[in-house]
PDB file of all heavy atoms in Angstrom:
ATOM      1  N   ILE A 298     114.302 104.608  77.476  1.00  0.00           N
ATOM      2  CA  ILE A 298     112.779 104.308  77.354  1.00  0.00           C
ATOM      3  C   ILE A 298     112.446 104.685  75.851  1.00  0.00           C
ATOM      4  O   ILE A 298     112.719 105.742  75.517  1.00  0.00           O
ATOM      5  CB  ILE A 298     111.945 104.919  78.341  1.00  0.00           C
ATOM      6  CG1 ILE A 298     112.293 104.536  79.777  1.00  0.00           C
ATOM      7  CG2 ILE A 298     110.506 104.667  78.067  1.00  0.00           C
ATOM      8  CD1 ILE A 298     111.512 105.173  80.881  1.00  0.00           C
ATOM      9  N   PRO A 299     111.833 103.730  75.150  1.00  0.00           N
ATOM     10  CA  PRO A 299     111.626 104.069  73.654  1.00  0.00           C
ATOM     11  C   PRO A 299     110.785 105.361  73.389  1.00  0.00           C
ATOM     12  O   PRO A 299     109.878 105.713  74.215  1.00  0.00           O
ATOM     13  CB  PRO A 299     110.749 102.835  73.270  1.00  0.00           C
ATOM     14  CG  PRO A 299     111.066 101.828  74.280  1.00  0.00           C
ATOM     15  CD  PRO A 299     111.298 102.497  75.570  1.00  0.00           C
ATOM     16  N   LYS A 300     111.190 106.009  72.378  1.00  0.00           N
ATOM     17  CA  LYS A 300     110.502 107.237  71.979  1.00  0.00           C
ATOM     18  C   LYS A 300     109.123 106.927  71.574  1.00  0.00           C
ATOM     19  O   LYS A 300     108.197 107.895  71.727  1.00  0.00           O
ATOM     20  CB  LYS A 300     111.309 107.931  70.925  1.00  0.00           C
ATOM     21  CG  LYS A 300     112.623 108.520  71.239  1.00  0.00           C
ATOM     22  CD  LYS A 300     113.301 109.199  70.079  1.00  0.00           C
ATOM     23  CE  LYS A 300     114.651 109.903  70.519  1.00  0.00           C
ATOM     24  NZ  LYS A 300     115.280 110.525  69.299  1.00  0.00           N
ATOM     25  N   SER A 301     108.909 105.778  71.106  1.00  0.00           N
ATOM     26  CA  SER A 301     107.479 105.452  70.719  1.00  0.00           C
ATOM     27  C   SER A 301     106.559 105.323  71.949  1.00  0.00           C
ATOM     28  O   SER A 301     105.295 105.288  71.806  1.00  0.00           O
ATOM     29  CB  SER A 301     107.547 104.093  69.970  1.00  0.00           C
ATOM     30  OG  SER A 301     108.125 103.034  70.803  1.00  0.00           O
ATOM     31  N   GLY A 302     107.205 105.181  73.148  1.00  0.00           N
ATOM     32  CA  GLY A 302     106.322 105.094  74.376  1.00  0.00           C
ATOM     33  C   GLY A 302     105.938 103.824  74.741  1.00  0.00           C
ATOM     34  O   GLY A 302     105.777 102.913  74.024  1.00  0.00           O
ATOM     35  N   LEU A 303     105.772 103.643  76.066  1.00  0.00           N
ATOM     36  CA  LEU A 303     105.284 102.391  76.755  1.00  0.00           C
ATOM     37  C   LEU A 303     103.940 102.672  77.430  1.00  0.00           C
ATOM     38  O   LEU A 303     103.645 103.718  77.904  1.00  0.00           O
ATOM     39  CB  LEU A 303     106.276 101.878  77.665  1.00  0.00           C
ATOM     40  CG  LEU A 303     107.654 101.604  77.178  1.00  0.00           C
ATOM     41  CD1 LEU A 303     108.680 101.250  78.380  1.00  0.00           C
ATOM     42  CD2 LEU A 303     107.597 100.413  76.273  1.00  0.00           C
ATOM     43  N   PRO A 304     103.088 101.571  77.285  1.00  0.00           N
ATOM     44  CA  PRO A 304     101.727 101.820  77.892  1.00  0.00           C
ATOM     45  C   PRO A 304     101.780 101.894  79.479  1.00  0.00           C
ATOM     46  O   PRO A 304     102.139 100.922  80.079  1.00  0.00           O
ATOM     47  CB  PRO A 304     100.947 100.639  77.387  1.00  0.00           C
ATOM     48  CG  PRO A 304     101.969  99.558  77.308  1.00  0.00           C
ATOM     49  CD  PRO A 304     103.197 100.284  76.817  1.00  0.00           C
ATOM     50  N   GLY A 305     101.306 103.011  80.080  1.00  0.00           N
ATOM     51  CA  GLY A 305     101.379 103.191  81.496  1.00  0.00           C
ATOM     52  C   GLY A 305     100.075 103.229  82.217  1.00  0.00           C
ATOM     53  O   GLY A 305      99.083 103.056  81.640  1.00  0.00           O
ATOM     54  N   LEU A 306     100.050 103.551  83.465  1.00  0.00           N
ATOM     55  CA  LEU A 306      98.995 103.692  84.345  1.00  0.00           C
ATOM     56  C   LEU A 306      98.134 104.964  83.949  1.00  0.00           C
ATOM     57  O   LEU A 306      98.680 105.970  83.375  1.00  0.00           O
ATOM     58  CB  LEU A 306      99.373 103.804  85.821  1.00  0.00           C
ATOM     59  CG  LEU A 306     100.283 102.683  86.346  1.00  0.00           C
ATOM     60  CD1 LEU A 306     100.770 103.109  87.738  1.00  0.00           C
ATOM     61  CD2 LEU A 306      99.406 101.368  86.359  1.00  0.00           C
ATOM     62  N   GLU A 307      96.829 104.804  84.096  1.00  0.00           N
ATOM     63  CA  GLU A 307      95.951 105.978  83.829  1.00  0.00           C
ATOM     64  C   GLU A 307      96.104 106.417  82.289  1.00  0.00           C
ATOM     65  O   GLU A 307      95.972 107.584  81.936  1.00  0.00           O
ATOM     66  CB  GLU A 307      96.203 107.047  84.782  1.00  0.00           C
ATOM     67  CG  GLU A 307      95.831 106.719  86.183  1.00  0.00           C
ATOM     68  CD  GLU A 307      95.967 107.904  87.064  1.00  0.00           C
ATOM     69  OE1 GLU A 307      96.687 108.921  86.700  1.00  0.00           O
ATOM     70  OE2 GLU A 307      95.514 107.897  88.249  1.00  0.00           O
ATOM     71  N   GLU A 308      96.332 105.371  81.346  1.00  0.00           N
ATOM     72  CA  GLU A 308      96.435 105.560  79.948  1.00  0.00           C
ATOM     73  C   GLU A 308      97.513 106.608  79.623  1.00  0.00           C
ATOM     74  O   GLU A 308      97.591 107.243  78.598  1.00  0.00           O
ATOM     75  CB  GLU A 308      95.129 106.172  79.384  1.00  0.00           C
ATOM     76  CG  GLU A 308      93.943 105.182  79.554  1.00  0.00           C
ATOM     77  CD  GLU A 308      92.614 105.702  78.962  1.00  0.00           C
ATOM     78  OE1 GLU A 308      92.559 106.819  78.489  1.00  0.00           O
ATOM     79  OE2 GLU A 308      91.719 104.868  78.867  1.00  0.00           O
ATOM     80  N   ARG A 309      98.505 106.706  80.470  1.00  0.00           N
ATOM     81  CA  ARG A 309      99.750 107.465  80.193  1.00  0.00           C
ATOM     82  C   ARG A 309     100.653 106.733  79.139  1.00  0.00           C
ATOM     83  O   ARG A 309     100.563 105.458  79.023  1.00  0.00           O
ATOM     84  CB  ARG A 309     100.614 107.821  81.503  1.00  0.00           C
ATOM     85  CG  ARG A 309      99.773 108.558  82.554  1.00  0.00           C
ATOM     86  CD  ARG A 309     100.508 108.550  83.860  1.00  0.00           C
ATOM     87  NE  ARG A 309      99.607 109.117  84.881  1.00  0.00           N
ATOM     88  CZ  ARG A 309      99.536 110.413  85.248  1.00  0.00           C
ATOM     89  NH1 ARG A 309     100.394 111.238  84.685  1.00  0.00           N
ATOM     90  NH2 ARG A 309      98.821 110.834  86.166  1.00  0.00           N
ATOM     91  N   ARG A 310     101.567 107.504  78.482  1.00  0.00           N
ATOM     92  CA  ARG A 310     102.657 106.909  77.653  1.00  0.00           C
ATOM     93  C   ARG A 310     103.951 107.313  78.238  1.00  0.00           C
ATOM     94  O   ARG A 310     104.160 108.414  78.396  1.00  0.00           O
ATOM     95  CB  ARG A 310     102.426 107.364  76.239  1.00  0.00           C
ATOM     96  CG  ARG A 310     101.084 106.946  75.535  1.00  0.00           C
ATOM     97  CD  ARG A 310     101.104 105.442  75.221  1.00  0.00           C
ATOM     98  NE  ARG A 310     102.079 105.015  74.227  1.00  0.00           N
ATOM     99  CZ  ARG A 310     102.223 103.767  73.816  1.00  0.00           C
ATOM    100  NH1 ARG A 310     101.390 102.868  74.251  1.00  0.00           N
ATOM    101  NH2 ARG A 310     103.212 103.489  72.966  1.00  0.00           N
ATOM    102  N   TYR A 311     104.752 106.352  78.534  1.00  0.00           N
ATOM    103  CA  TYR A 311     106.093 106.559  79.104  1.00  0.00           C
ATOM    104  C   TYR A 311     107.033 106.726  77.972  1.00  0.00           C
ATOM    105  O   TYR A 311     107.298 105.790  77.297  1.00  0.00           O
ATOM    106  CB  TYR A 311     106.462 105.522  80.098  1.00  0.00           C
ATOM    107  CG  TYR A 311     105.471 105.321  81.231  1.00  0.00           C
ATOM    108  CD1 TYR A 311     105.227 103.991  81.653  1.00  0.00           C
ATOM    109  CD2 TYR A 311     104.798 106.390  81.795  1.00  0.00           C
ATOM    110  CE1 TYR A 311     104.278 103.669  82.721  1.00  0.00           C
ATOM    111  CE2 TYR A 311     103.937 106.132  82.915  1.00  0.00           C
ATOM    112  CZ  TYR A 311     103.698 104.880  83.313  1.00  0.00           C
ATOM    113  OH  TYR A 311     102.835 104.673  84.315  1.00  0.00           O
ATOM    114  N   GLY A 312     107.799 107.813  77.977  1.00  0.00           N
ATOM    115  CA  GLY A 312     108.798 107.986  76.922  1.00  0.00           C
ATOM    116  C   GLY A 312     110.220 108.163  77.569  1.00  0.00           C
ATOM    117  O   GLY A 312     110.369 108.005  78.849  1.00  0.00           O
ATOM    118  N   PRO A 313     111.146 108.595  76.925  1.00  0.00           N
ATOM    119  CA  PRO A 313     112.561 108.818  77.420  1.00  0.00           C
ATOM    120  C   PRO A 313     112.505 109.839  78.664  1.00  0.00           C
ATOM    121  O   PRO A 313     111.769 110.762  78.486  1.00  0.00           O
ATOM    122  CB  PRO A 313     113.402 109.466  76.287  1.00  0.00           C
ATOM    123  CG  PRO A 313     112.677 108.828  75.030  1.00  0.00           C
ATOM    124  CD  PRO A 313     111.260 108.832  75.369  1.00  0.00           C
ATOM    125  N   PHE A 314     113.235 109.346  79.629  1.00  0.00           N
ATOM    126  CA  PHE A 314     113.288 110.176  80.925  1.00  0.00           C
ATOM    127  C   PHE A 314     111.883 110.258  81.591  1.00  0.00           C
ATOM    128  O   PHE A 314     111.644 111.298  82.374  1.00  0.00           O
ATOM    129  CB  PHE A 314     113.674 111.651  80.563  1.00  0.00           C
ATOM    130  CG  PHE A 314     115.171 111.748  80.001  1.00  0.00           C
ATOM    131  CD1 PHE A 314     115.317 112.087  78.560  1.00  0.00           C
ATOM    132  CD2 PHE A 314     116.247 111.604  80.714  1.00  0.00           C
ATOM    133  CE1 PHE A 314     116.520 112.110  78.028  1.00  0.00           C
ATOM    134  CE2 PHE A 314     117.525 111.662  80.147  1.00  0.00           C
ATOM    135  CZ  PHE A 314     117.619 111.887  78.691  1.00  0.00           C
ATOM    136  N   GLY A 315     111.006 109.313  81.322  1.00  0.00           N
ATOM    137  CA  GLY A 315     109.717 109.310  81.946  1.00  0.00           C
ATOM    138  C   GLY A 315     109.717 108.984  83.381  1.00  0.00           C
ATOM    139  O   GLY A 315     108.755 109.286  84.136  1.00  0.00           O
ATOM    140  N   GLY A 316     110.799 108.334  83.873  1.00  0.00           N
ATOM    141  CA  GLY A 316     110.912 108.121  85.278  1.00  0.00           C
ATOM    142  C   GLY A 316     112.436 107.845  85.587  1.00  0.00           C
ATOM    143  O   GLY A 316     113.307 107.570  84.823  1.00  0.00           O
ATOM    144  N   ILE A 317     112.813 108.004  86.921  1.00  0.00           N
ATOM    145  CA  ILE A 317     114.148 107.724  87.357  1.00  0.00           C
ATOM    146  C   ILE A 317     114.255 106.576  88.286  1.00  0.00           C
ATOM    147  O   ILE A 317     113.359 106.425  89.190  1.00  0.00           O
ATOM    148  CB  ILE A 317     114.717 109.029  88.057  1.00  0.00           C
ATOM    149  CG1 ILE A 317     116.209 108.672  88.589  1.00  0.00           C
ATOM    150  CG2 ILE A 317     113.812 109.401  89.199  1.00  0.00           C
ATOM    151  CD1 ILE A 317     116.818 109.975  89.119  1.00  0.00           C
TER     152      ILE A 317
END
Side-chain angles (χ1 to χ4, degrees):
I298 296 176
K300 291 182 179 179
S301 57
L303 299 173
L306 301 171
E307 298 181 341
E308 299 184 349
R309 300 169 188 268
R310 296 290 294 183
Y311 303 140
F314 302 102
I317 177 175

